[in-house]
Every structure is written in structure tokens, then in C-alpha cells.
Amino acid sequence: MKRYYDPWRKRIGKLLKALQGRPVALVVLFGLSLLNLTSEWPSDIPRPAFVDTLDDALPDSFKTARQLLFDQYQRHYKRIPATQPVTIVEIDEETLASVGQWPWPRNRLAGLIDAIAAYKPLAIGLDIYMPEPDQTSPDRVADNLPKTAAALAAGLRALPSHDAILAGSLRAAPSILGAAALDHAAFATRTTLRSALVLVHGADPLDHVRRFEYVLASLPELQAAAHGQALLSVALEQGVVRHIPLVMGLGDRLVPSLPMEMLRVATGSAALEVYADSSGVQAVGVADVQVPTQPGGDIWLHFASIRSTLGRYVSARDILQGKVDADRIRDKLVLVGLTGAGVTDMRTTPLGELVPGIEIQAQVIETIFEGRFLRRPTWLKWAESGFIMTFGLLIVWYVPRKRSRLAEFIRAVPKGVAMLGLSLHLLNLLCCFYIFMHFGFLIDAAAIFIILSAVMGCFLSPALLHQQEQARAEAALAQRPPADKNGAGKAPEA
């Protein structure tokens, strides 16, 4: 094994020592920088085919480290809610035990909406979709009666259906229905949705936003009665919700998310506005509110801990029984969703918390009200790349110089270079975290650390190899027998 290992070690050593290691360091610098860009390709330039090939060959090369770093930013600096514009009416276990198991007959859901609307909220968003007719409606029950109960069946058919009752409640309240976006056809899916107008200012952003071909929405009768329709999709990355789309594509149309549609209904606006250029969506607005977005029409959400938002939850049972303080509903944006065990759509946040899906929608609205957005614009990626290239080239030019102050420092304090490197990287991390705290920009300190450390390692490796060679030479010399006066080795005794 040693016979095969030594030649390769010598070749690698010669390669690292060639021109004091600068060629290898340049290859590492440019190669890792390209790989970093590939993992998060800037939207302002076309994506070449080789980038897709490289991304497929080395998936998540820098993306995972970047995501974990941004999660740590949030865990060490959680958003503290300053306002509470949202109230969540939860259909919790107490409600299900009191009112009945889910799904409810829709006249019962209509009663809940009527009870909420009586408190005069600004908007009521339902994180619920109903694609099929209610099978408990009187006409459906009549269809299952025997012929001998013809009179009873006729009486039941004369009653309004539960869907019609719910439609009346939706029409009377400032209601918004949610719908699930799907990439594939399934039972009861459609290709269209009765959504509000979306006005585009600038270039068409449809190719940049997340697009779907199918939607699982409520019945057309319910859609026609509601004051708005919205998609409930969230973006998952390795099972964690970090991005929230504010606008999405359904076929060849732009469709709003639930938070933006609720703001549109609450402000009485006729349309949602999207501001875009050739690189994608720049902002999504409604009334006098503009939310800066990523080119894909999504935002990085700065999460608050679920422990700090529990005060926004109200049990649907208390609403139905009239036991709720009116101020918790009046002039609020109300979200209605399921939180009972077994019926809840649970999601993991960057804080490591498992929360109901309706909580994420509430945090988006809360963030928009507070105007505290996390941002990672395209220019920031270029700035990071420029920083990495500048300091990488500075390392390549300066570190190998034998008469520099750094070289003298390394010779004087061999272990000091490691402490110096760690100190600089710690300073880099602290600066990026400070910018996150005060300005909301997400700077990828992980890529800076990985690439510059690798470049620096190209110059430290030859020194380590040289030390190993010296150690082996000294060990070999120590094992040689002592020489006699004539320079010949002393023969071993018999």
C-alpha cells in the first residue's frame, strides 16, 4: 500500500508547491465560487445549461450550509411581534368535542362564519377548501330515502342545501376562500380559479414565479359567493418553511396568496399589483402597501416563536358560545383553520418549532404590517461573490510571499495563523449577523468561510507536507546505526 501511496503523495506535494501554490489556489477559488453561484444562480442573467448539469452532479453543494446559517440567524434573533393584526379562530380539539367531528356539515360552518362576522372583522380567511358538495345536505339525504318516504323526501328537497346556506354566509361576510395548488391532476382538481385581478407593472414575471397547472378549490357556488380566492401553497426546503410566495402562477395567470388577498379585501382594493423587471418580481403591493420580494415573488419570513403568538388564538367553540371579547375580532384580519389533533396541517419553521399551517399565514400578515422584511436581493449575491474574489485574490498574491510580515509571523508563531484565521472568520460571522439584526439582509457568511478557508488551505498544505517529510527524515535518521570513526556503520553483534 505504501508503494502506491508515496508516488501520489509526492505528485500532490509537487503540485501544491508549484509556483508557491498559487495555481492550485486560483483553481480552488474560481471553482468553488462558480459552484456557489450554481447553488443560487442570480436571476438577472440567463442560466446556462452547464449550470444545471453541475447542479445535478453536485446538488446542495452550498445551499444546505446557507440554509442552516440563515436558520441560526433567526434562532438567535427571533422576531418579537410588535402588533397583533391577526386573530386565528381555531377549530381545536375542544371545539370538535363540543360541536362534532370534522368535516362539519356546511350549515354548521356557516354558523361559525356568521358568528365571526357579527364582531365586524376586516376580513375572514378560510384555510379550508371544499371541492365536493356537502353529502349531509337535505337534498342529498332525500336521495337516499326509500320510495315509501316520498313525502319526507319532497320536504327535504324544498329546503336549501348546506352549500347554499354557506354561500349566503360567505356573501354576507368579507370572506376569502383558500385553495390548494397542485402540480398534477387529481380528483376534483381544476385548472382555473375565480381570483381577483393582478396588475403587472413592468415585465411579465410569469416565468419567474412558482407555477402550477391544477388547483383543488371550493365549489363554484362557494367561489362565486366569497369576496376573494387565494392559493395556500408554501415553499418547503428539506421539510422546513423558509420562503412564502405572495403571488404564484396558475396556468397563464397570476394568483395571490392568502395574506395578500386578505389585505386586498380588507382595504377594499379591486386588484393586486405586481412590480417586475427582466430579473423577476421586485415587489407585490395592495392599496398603499408594497412588499419587497425575491425575484420569484416570495419573501424570506422572519419568524416569531409560537410561544409569543399564542395570544392570537381563539377557540371556535368560544365564538359559537359568544364567550369572546369583541375587541379580539373587531377590525382584525381573522384566519379560520384546523388545529385539532389528526386534522392539522403542521409545518416546521427555521426556529425548529412545529406549528399549524395557519400560523405561518398569520406571521406573513403580521410581518407586512410591521414592515420588517428579510431580504436577499440579486445585487447582494454579486456583492458576496465580489468580496470572495477580492479577498481570495489578495490571499493568493500575499500569503506565499516569503518576506512578508505574515510569513515572518508564521515562522515566529506557527500556530498563530490558525488563531488569526479563526478570528477573521468570527469577525465575518459577527458582521453578517449584525447586518441581519439591523437591516434584515441575509448575507451568506458560510460560503465566505468555506471558500476562503479552502484557498488558505492551499498554502498551508505544502507547509504541513514539508513538516511531515522532515519528521520522516528525522525518524529514518534516528533508526540508522551509529557510524564508527571511519564512517562505516557498526555491524550488529551476533
Side-chain angles (χ1 to χ4, degrees), residues 174-186:
S175 57
I176 300 97
L177 288 175
L182 300 174
D183 292 315
H184 57 275

Side-chain angles (χ1 to χ4, degrees), residues 380-426:
L380 185 57
K381 302 174 192 176
W382 289 118
E384 289 172 0
S385 298
F387 179 88
I388 291 171
M389 292 302 299
T390 300
F391 275 82
L393 292 173
L394 183 62
I395 291 173
V396 171
W397 169 74
Y398 184 75
V399 170
R401 299 178 64 186
K402 296 182 178 180
R403 297 183 180 181
S404 66
R405 293 183 179 180
L406 178 62
E408 294 176 358
F409 174 73
I410 293 174
R411 286 193 291 269
V413 188
K415 296 182 179 180
V417 67
M419 296 301 298
L420 178 62
L422 289 175
S423 299
L424 290 176
H425 285 307
L426 180 60

Side-chain angles (χ1 to χ4, degrees), residues 300-319:
W300 289 80
L301 188 59
H302 192 181
F303 281 90
S305 173
I306 185 68
R307 290 186 292 273
S308 65
T309 65
L310 291 176
R312 71 161 116 251
Y313 286 81
V314 175
S315 175
R317 180 188 62 176
D318 295 338
I319 294 283

Side-chain angles (χ1 to χ4, degrees), residues 205-211 247-249 254 281 295-297:
L206 200 58
D207 291 335
H208 295 275
V209 301
R210 190 177 182 191
R211 296 178 66 177
V247 65
M248 288 158 277
L254 290 174
V281 180

Side-chain angles (χ1 to χ4, degrees), residues 437-451:
M437 290 174 56
H438 292 276
F439 303 100
F441 286 110
L442 293 165
I443 302 179
D444 188 6
I448 297 173
F449 170 79
I450 293 171
I451 297 175

Side-chain angles (χ1 to χ4, degrees), residues 120-131:
K120 305 297 181 183
L122 294 176
I124 303 173
L126 278 73
D127 188 9
I128 300 167
Y129 42 92
M130 297 157 279

Side-chain angles (χ1 to χ4, degrees), residues 23-162:
V24 174
L26 287 172
V27 170
V28 169
L29 175 62
F30 284 97
L32 291 182
S33 296
L34 177 60
L35 201 59
N36 181 37
L37 278 178
T38 301
S39 68
E40 191 183 25
W41 191 260
S43 60
D44 57 348
I45 57 176
R47 187 179 172 96
F50 80 88
V51 171
D52 294 324
T53 304
L54 189 59
D55 200 22
D56 292 337
L58 297 169
D60 299 334
S61 51
F62 281 84
K63 187 176 182 180
T64 299
R66 184 186 304 120
Q67 290 172 342
L68 293 176
L69 173 69
F70 293 164
D71 290 351
Q72 290 302 316
Y73 284 170
Q74 296 210 38
R75 293 187 184 193
H76 288 85
Y77 189 68
K78 304 177 184 68
R79 182 176 60 84
I80 306 299
T83 61
Q84 197 173 84
V86 181
T87 295
I88 294 178
V89 174
E90 56 175 339
I91 302 175
D92 53 5
E93 293 187 42
E94 290 77 11
T95 302
L96 296 176
S98 174
V99 179
Q101 67 180 8
W102 188 264
W104 290 347
R106 287 180 192 153
N107 62 331
R108 192 172 297 168
L109 181 59
L112 176 61
I113 294 174
D114 292 340
I116 296 171
Y119 292 102
K120 305 297 181 183
L122 294 176
I124 303 173
L126 278 73
D127 188 9
I128 300 167
Y129 42 92
M130 297 157 279
E132 300 177 11
D134 187 349
Q135 298 301 315
T136 65
S137 288
D139 56 335
R140 298 282 174 167
V141 175
D143 291 341
N144 292 321
L145 292 177
K147 293 181 179 180
T148 56
L152 177 59
L156 288 173
R157 290 192 178 95
L159 297 174
S161 70
H162 291 171

